[in-house]
Amino acid sequence: MPRLMGIALRWCSLPFLALLFQSMLVELWFSSRAAGLSPETLIHGPSVFFMLGLAFRILFAALCRRFRRIDPLVFVDTLEHELTHALIGTLTFCPPISLSATLKSGGEVQLRGSNPLAALAPYAFPLWTLVAVAIGFVVQSGLQSAWTHAVFFLLGCFAYRLGTEFRWRQTDLHAYGFFFSTLLVGALLLLSLGIILKSRGLLSLHWIWASPLHAIREVPGVWRALRPASNSTGP
């Protein structure tokens, strides 16, 4: 019975999660524009290093395949994946019982209990990037610009890992339903991005706080759109 209740609640939450995700995108867009982070600035600063990180992982993997070698960075990705499960599991009262990470056969972590945050954490929280963000608070002021570039380079590497792992056959994404997981991961990814931007002094967190209010304001309009049209009376 509790399992059926959980399934029903997740299905009922899908419209609200979708609305929250859409509201976060809208608020991020307008806040970015107000802060001067427009599409015209994508060729400057952190965005360049994000693309460099992504390109580095793509090219490195291609070279490893070309020379028939195992990509050693896959182990780093596997370790990040399993550690993120374990860390968020610990923070949400589902601590790890065991954890393993290997280069050839992947990794596995067993948690004492389960919850959506722990199950989906590796797809929503770029662990190495967030570790770099934390270290950045104690980096010398003269190195802050270079450190920002390093943070976004690591974020680009995370984007590569996310692209290789986020797929239909990924069992983590089916534990609570693929569509529920996709929307929740999307919202949490935007939250992670907001924290990173705030930590590097690029954008305030106002847009995150404004997103739920934006979603609430949109509820009546969504309800009217989803409500079946009343039958019109004939002449």
Side-chain angles (χ1 to χ4, degrees):
M1 188 65 177
R3 187 170 182 273
L4 291 176
M5 287 286 293
I7 294 174
L9 286 173
R10 287 195 296 274
W11 276 103
C12 291
S13 70
L14 288 180
F16 301 101
L17 269 177
L19 187 57
L20 177 62
F21 178 62
Q22 181 263 346
S23 298
M24 292 179 77
L25 285 175
V26 170
E27 290 293 336
L28 174 60
W29 170 259
F30 285 112
S31 295
S32 299
R33 296 289 291 185
L37 301 177
S38 63
E40 293 79 9
T41 65
L42 290 178
I43 60 173
H44 302 292
S47 299
V48 172
F49 284 85
F50 172 85
M51 296 305 298
L52 284 175
L54 179 59
F56 165 73
R57 288 302 310 271
I58 292 173
L59 293 174
F60 190 80
L63 283 173
C64 289
R65 289 193 299 270
R66 173 68 178 82
F67 293 102
R68 302 180 185 276
R69 295 289 188 269
I70 297 175
D71 184 350
L73 295 179
V74 170
F75 175 77
V76 178
D77 290 341
T78 301
L79 184 61
E80 180 186 27
H81 184 111
E82 305 305 340
L83 282 176
T84 310
H85 273 308
L87 177 61
I88 301 301
T90 300
L91 294 176
T92 55
F93 308 102
C94 295
I97 300 173
S98 65
L99 184 151
S100 65
T102 63
L103 178 58
K104 292 186 177 181
S105 58
E108 182 182 11
V109 62
Q110 292 184 336
L111 303 178
R112 190 185 301 276
S114 177
N115 65 71
L117 283 179
L120 302 174
Y123 313 96
F125 302 113
L127 183 61
W128 301 145
T129 307
L130 294 175
V131 168
V133 165
I135 296 174
F137 290 114
V138 297
V139 169
Q140 294 181 1
S141 58
L143 297 176
Q144 287 297 327
S145 178
W147 199 258
T148 295
H149 295 157
V151 165
F152 280 86
F153 183 89
L154 289 173
L155 189 61
C157 294
F158 166 77
Y160 172 83
R161 177 174 74 78
L162 182 64
T164 60
E165 294 181 354
F166 199 100
R167 57 186 185 274
W168 177 259
R169 290 182 294 177
Q170 181 61 258
T171 55
D172 289 339
L173 301 175
H174 288 276
Y176 293 93
F178 186 82
F179 299 109
F180 172 86
S181 298
T182 299
L183 290 172
L184 183 58
V185 165
L188 292 174
L189 275 173
L190 291 176
L191 176 62
S192 295
L193 177 61
I195 292 171
I196 293 168
L197 292 173
K198 169 62 177 177
S199 71
R200 305 316 302 163
L202 298 173
L203 190 65
S204 75
L205 291 176
H206 172 76
W207 67 274
I208 291 180
W209 316 134
S211 296
L213 298 177
H214 182 111
I216 291 171
R217 290 195 300 267
E218 294 293 325
V219 168
V222 173
W223 173 253
R224 287 193 297 269
L226 294 177
R227 188 175 56 187
S230 58
N231 295 327
S232 59
T233 58

